[in-house]
Amino acid sequence: MFNFGVDYYPEQWPEERWTKDAELMAQAGFNVVRLAEFAWSRLEPEKGRFDFEWLDRAIALLAGYGMHIVLGTPTASPPPWLMAEHPEIFRVRSDGTRVTYGHRRGYCPNNLVYRDYSRAIVRKMAEHYSGNPAVVGWQIDNELGDRCYCPRCALAFHDWLRTRFGTLAVINDRWGTVFWSHIYTDWTQIPVPLTIGGPHNPGLALDYHRFCSDSYVDFMQIQNAILRQFCPDHFITHNFMGFVYDQINQFDLSRSLDFVSWDNYPQMQWNMKDAADPVKASLGHDTMRGLKRSPFWVIEQQAGPSGWEIVSPAPRPGQLRLWAYQAIAHGADGILFFRWRTAQAGVEQYWHGLLDHDGRPGRRYEEIRRMGGEIQIIGERLVGTKLKPQVAILLSYDSRFAFQIQANNPSFRYETEFLKLYRALQELKISVDIVSPEANLQDYKLVFAPTLHVLDGQAADNLSAYVSNGGVLVVTPRSGVKDEANRIVGCPLPGLLAELCGMEVSEYDSFPEGKTNSVRFTIPDLEGTSSPKVDIWADLLHPTCATVVAIYEHDYYAGSPAITLNHYGTGYALYMGVFGGQDLLLPVVRWLLQKAEIPLSFQGPTGVEILKRESDGRILIFILNHTGDGQAVDLPGVYWDLLHTSLIESPIHIGPYDVSILEQQG
Ligand code: GAL
C-alpha cells in the first residue's frame, strides 16, 4: 500500500462536521491520517486528568472510512496549566531572555519536570492506543529544535562534558583555555555560550551546539522507549525539517526511528521575493532519504498558500500534485498533506489546507483527489522501488555548527555553497545521495565533500580509503581546517586531507564583499571553458604531487594554482580552492562525471527533473516539469506511461507543472 493522506485536527472543528470530512478524505483516495500532535490541552485538560474519548471517536470514524492513523505525541506545545505552574520549563534563548507563553516549542528539552510530564502523557497515550487496530504508528513531538541556554542546560552540559571527557584537565586542553586565562578549576565555572557574552571559545561553543543537538536526541529517545515498550507493533517517526534545519545533527536524530518523515513547503510566505525553487525541495528530499539511506515520508506536504502574518503566492494549478510526485520521485513512500482544512483561528489562519476556511472542496482538493485516483492505480508499482545514485554529497553537521560560530567570511554560508554544487548536479539530471562523512561510500563513483571544515581521523581515513579504492572525491575551500575539538590543525591545510589531495594551501585570501577573481583552466579536458568568476575566498595552492587544473587570473597571486587534481591509489582527489557559480561548477562537474565514468543518462531543459526509481527488473522514470510551459524530453526506448496507461516513445511531451511516470519496457 502506498501511504497517501492528510494531517487532520478534529479537535478544531465541530464533531458534526467530522463525517463529512472523512467522506471527502475517502473520496480523495486517502488511506492515512495524522492526528493529535498539538492536542495536549484536550488530551490532559488538567494535571493528571486524561480525556481520550473525543480522539477515540475521531479515530473510530476515520477508521470506518478506511483510514490508518498516525498519532503525534503532543509535547511540542504544552498546555498553559503546566507552564503556569512550572515557568522554569521555558527555554532560554541565546541572548539570555526566557521564552514566555503564547507560541509553541517553548520548552527546554533538559528540564526534568517537563520530561516527567512528557513521559506521563506519552505513556498514557501509548497504553491507551497500543491495542487500537486503526493506529499504525507515531510521530514524536513536532519539528524538534531550538537551542536552550537555561541554568538547567548549564548543569546538563557539565554532565555531558564529564561523561565524554572525564576531567577538567582534558577539557582545558581540548579548548585551549589558557588563551585569555580561561582555565576552569570547577565544573560550575563553565558557562553556556550566550551571545551577549561576546564570541566564545570556539571549542566550548561547538561542544555546546553538539550538546544541544544531543539534548533533543535524548528527549526524543525518552518518548521512543515508552512507545517501543507499549506499542511494539507500531512504527515510530518524527517530522524533520529537511536540509535547511541546522541546529540538530539530523543523522543522530534519525538513528532510533523506523523511518524519517519531513515537512515540505516549497512556497513559504517568508520568502516573497522568489518563486518556489524545485531544486531546494529536491535537496530536502535527498537529505531526508540520506539520513537512514532509506525511503522516507513527507508527513506534511504543502496543500495551498502558506501563511502566518503574510500569505504566500498561491501554488499554480498542478503544482501541489507535482510537488507531491517530486517527493515520490526522490524516494518518498508516504505523502500526507498539511493540512486538511484551513484553520479559522490561531497563528496559522492563513496556512491553507486542501479545503479553504469554508470547508468546501475546491481547486486544490480536486487536484489532489485526481492524484489520489492515480495513486490507487500506480501505488503498487511504486512500492519497493528505490533510487540508486552513483554520486554523493557529504553533509557535516559539525562543520555546519562550526561555521555558525565562525563564518570565516560574511558572504559565506555553508548551505548556499552546498546548494550550488547540488544545483549543478540537478542541472545535469544526476541523482544524488546526501550522506554523512563517516558513511560507507563504496556505492558511489563520485563524492563531493563541500567545506568539510571540522574533520576527524575517522572521516579522513574514510575518504582516503574511498579514493584509494578508485573513487573520485572533490574537496572545497576551508576543508580539514579544524579537528573535532574545533582547534585549527597544526599542519598545512587541508590538514588530514593534504596527502590525499597531493597539495598544500600555502596562503589564503578572504574577499571583501563584492570582490571577485577569476580562474583559467590549464588542462586539455577543460580548455576552451571561459574564465569563470570566483568569489568569497581564495586558497593559494602548492601542489606536492597533484596536477594543476586551474590558475588564478588576477591579484598578487595571478598564475598560482586554484584547482588541483591528485591521482591517489586508483582514484582521484580534486581540490577546489575557490567558490563560484554555475559557470565554474558545471564544466568541472561535467568533467568529473566523465572521469568517474558516470553517463549523463538523461537530458532535458532546465526546470525539468528526470529521476529513476528501480527494483529488481523494474525501472520507473519520473519526468517532472516545474516550469509553466510545455516541455519535451528525449528518452531512448519504449515506455509504459503509468498515468495515461498507454505505450509511449520519444519525444515525451509534458504539460506545464505536469508529471509523467514511465515504466521501461523490455
Ligand atoms: C510545520 C509544522 C506544522 C505547521 C506548518 C505550517 O513546520 O510542523 O505544525 O506549523 O509548519 O506552519
Side-chain angles (χ1 to χ4, degrees):
M1 182 189 87
F2 188 87
N3 303 286
F4 195 60
V6 75
D7 303 312
Y8 184 44
Y9 299 89
E11 69 277 21
Q12 296 177 12
W13 303 101
E15 201 161 333
E16 309 83 78
R17 168 71 196 198
W18 294 359
T19 306
K20 174 85 185 153
D21 285 335
E23 270 169 26
L24 287 169
M25 288 177 197
Q27 283 164 21
F30 291 160
N31 52 29
V32 49
V33 178
R34 186 191 71 186
L35 300 172
E37 113 264 47
F38 288 114
W40 197 338
S41 0
R42 290 295 306 273
L43 295 168
E44 190 180 2
E46 57 188 74
K47 183 173 169 178
R49 182 167 72 79
F50 295 92
D51 174 11
F52 296 129
E53 280 178 24
W54 65 272
L55 186 55
D56 293 348
R57 289 197 299 277
I59 292 175
L61 176 81
L62 291 162
Y65 283 84
M67 306 297 154
H68 291 163
I69 305 299
V70 179
L71 289 174
T73 69
T75 48
S77 197
W81 57 257
L82 169 53
M83 300 310 270
E85 195 178 323
H86 293 286
E88 74 281 8
I89 291 174
F90 281 114
R91 195 164 55 78
V92 171
R93 303 182 188 91
S94 63
D95 65 0
T97 58
R98 213 180 254 280
V99 171
T100 50
Y101 202 81
H103 198 64
R104 61 178 175 183
R105 300 226 52 76
Y107 67 86
C108 161
N110 286 306
N111 183 281
L112 299 177
V113 174
Y114 196 63
R115 287 184 168 202
D116 282 346
Y117 277 91
S118 299
R119 269 189 202 100
I121 181 81
V122 172
R123 185 181 167 139
K124 282 281 175 200
M125 287 180 81
E127 281 173 347
H128 189 83
Y129 289 108
S130 63
N132 188 314
V135 176
V136 292
W138 296 82
Q139 170 194 301
I140 293 177
D141 204 285
N142 176 79
E143 297 187 339
L144 289 166
D146 292 330
R147 292 179 182 134
C148 177
Y149 295 77
C150 76
R152 167 67 212 150
C153 282
L155 293 178
F157 181 43
H158 301 154
D159 285 345
W160 185 94
L161 291 168
R162 218 180 271 120
T163 309
R164 268 158 199 79
F165 308 115
T167 66
L168 284 172
V170 174
I171 290 181
N172 281 316
D173 182 50
R174 175 180 172 83
W175 295 345
T177 52
V178 63
F179 181 81
W180 280 356
S181 202
H182 287 181
I183 298 171
Y184 297 108
T185 54
D186 189 282
W187 292 96
T188 57
Q189 297 160 359
I190 298 178
V192 297
L194 289 173
T195 43
I196 40 165
H200 281 262
N201 177 305
L204 181 150
L206 178 58
D207 278 336
Y208 197 75
H209 285 4
R210 290 177 174 133
F211 155 77
C212 291
S213 175
D214 284 358
S215 300
Y216 281 107
V217 176
D218 279 0
F219 180 73
M220 192 181 76
Q221 194 45 40
I222 291 172
Q223 300 194 24
N224 193 41
I226 296 169
L227 295 170
R228 296 268 179 228
Q229 182 188 348
F230 290 96
C231 307
D233 301 332
H234 295 169
F235 65 71
I236 303 177
T237 188
H238 167 67
N239 56 333
F240 289 68
M241 287 181 272
F243 174 76
V244 292
Y245 193 67
D246 63 358
Q247 302 207 356
I248 293 186
N249 182 327
Q250 301 197 91
F251 292 106
D252 292 345
L253 194 65
S254 71
R255 209 153 285 136
S256 62
L257 298 172
D258 292 303
F259 58 87
V260 166
S261 299
W262 83 287
D263 301 341
N264 178 33
Y265 297 100
Q267 182 80 70
M268 290 274 215
Q269 83 279 19
W270 290 292
N271 177 7
M272 293 295 279
K273 285 201 293 278
D274 306 311
D277 180 353
V279 179
K280 288 185 183 161
S282 293
L283 176 55
H285 294 310
D286 289 347
T287 306
M288 297 296 99
R289 194 184 65 247
L291 294 180
K292 293 181 81 72
R293 294 178 88 172
S294 66
F296 61 96
W297 283 23
V298 176
I299 206 158
E300 294 182 15
Q301 173 64 43
Q302 185 156 1
S306 49
W308 285 9
E309 304 86 355
I310 303 289
V311 184
S312 84
R316 311 285 105 179
Q319 272 188 321
L320 297 179
R321 169 177 170 271
L322 174 67
W323 293 337
Y325 274 123
Q326 181 186 23
I328 297 174
H330 282 268
D333 275 356
I335 304 280
L336 275 69
F337 292 90
F338 182 91
R339 49 189 273 153
W340 173 244
R341 177 171 169 185
T342 317
Q344 287 176 262
V347 167
E348 294 182 351
Q349 277 173 313
Y350 293 117
W351 204 284
H352 292 72
L354 285 177
L355 305 188
D356 280 322
H357 301 94
D358 61 15
R360 286 188 300 191
R363 169 175 80 78
R364 299 192 303 277
Y365 171 83
E366 289 306 330
E367 186 173 312
I368 297 311
R369 189 169 70 94
R370 172 184 163 205
M371 181 173 178
E374 293 166 349
I375 291 288
Q376 277 169 357
I377 298 167
I378 67 167
E380 287 311 314
R381 305 301 294 158
L382 300 173
V383 173
T385 58
K386 290 189 176 155
L387 288 93
K388 293 189 180 156
Q390 296 182 305
V391 178
I393 309 183
L394 306 184
L395 171 59
S396 159
Y397 282 98
D398 270 355
S399 299
R400 243 173 141 169
F401 292 169
F403 284 124
Q404 290 162 9
I405 299 157
Q406 294 165 298
N408 281 231
N409 180 292
S411 302
F412 171 77
R413 279 206 67 221
Y414 178 89
E415 293 74 18
T416 309
E417 298 309 317
F418 196 105
L419 178 67
K420 281 188 198 162
L421 259 181
Y422 181 83
R423 193 179 293 283
L425 289 154
Q426 278 266 305
E427 182 62 29
L428 299 170
K429 322 288 181 213
I430 296 290
S431 58
V432 176
D433 270 351
I434 310 289
V435 297
S436 83
E438 293 80 26
N440 181 341
L441 301 174
Q442 73 186 17
D443 291 342
Y444 307 111
K445 291 182 170 174
L446 175 58
V447 169
F448 293 85
T451 52
L452 206 47
H453 198 53
V454 176
L455 182 70
D456 61 21
Q458 194 196 339
D461 290 349
N462 193 32
L463 299 184
S464 298
Y466 168 70
V467 177
S468 154
N469 292 325
V472 178
L473 175 75
V474 180
V475 179
T476 73
R478 310 313 288 142
S479 293
V481 175
K482 300 286 190 96
D483 66 14
E484 63 269 39
N486 211 11
R487 293 171 73 113
I488 297 186
V489 296
C491 55
L493 299 183
L496 297 178
L497 300 176
E499 189 200 328
L500 169 62
C501 294
M503 45 58 71
E504 292 172 358
V505 175
S506 55
E507 199 183 326
Y508 44 68
D509 186 19
S510 174
F511 291 6
E513 210 181 330
K515 180 190 153 103
T516 58
N517 200 320
S518 61
V519 298
R520 184 166 63 76
F521 290 104
T522 51
I523 54 164
D525 283 352
L526 285 164
E527 249 169 24
T529 311
S530 59
S531 302
K533 261 197 201 152
V534 295
D535 56 11
I536 303 178
W537 190 273
D539 277 342
L540 281 51
L541 313 186
H542 167 71
T544 45
C545 52
T547 312
V548 177
V549 171
I551 54 172
Y552 290 101
E553 291 195 307
H554 305 287
D555 219 320
Y556 71 93
Y557 42 90
S560 301
I563 305 178
T564 57
L565 180 74
N566 191 37
H567 198 12
Y568 183 89
T570 51
Y572 291 94
L574 184 89
Y575 189 91
M576 297 195 43
V578 289
F579 296 117
Q582 297 303 311
D583 54 342
L584 168 75
L585 296 175
L586 272 173
V588 172
V589 170
R590 218 182 253 120
W591 166 62
L592 290 167
L593 288 165
Q594 244 172 34
K595 252 200 150 18
E597 297 176 358
I598 300 171
L600 291 174
S601 309
F602 302 126
Q603 259 137 57
T606 302
V608 174
E609 268 189 280
I610 311 179
L611 291 125
K612 185 158 77 172
R613 277 179 69 147
E614 55 192 303
S615 65
D616 295 338
R618 188 146 34 104
I619 294 184
L620 299 180
I621 296 184
F622 290 72
I623 309 179
L624 305 142
N625 180 6
H626 294 284
T627 75
D629 302 309
Q631 303 284 358
V633 168
D634 276 325
L635 215 54
V638 180
Y639 298 87
W640 179 251
D641 182 334
L642 261 62
L643 297 177
H644 299 102
T645 56
S646 59
L647 279 177
I648 187 167
E649 278 181 78
S650 263
I652 317 265
H653 291 280
I654 174 159
Y657 305 123
D658 203 357
V659 56
S660 282
I661 307 174
L662 309 176
E663 185 162 347
Q664 196 165 307
Q665 302 296 290

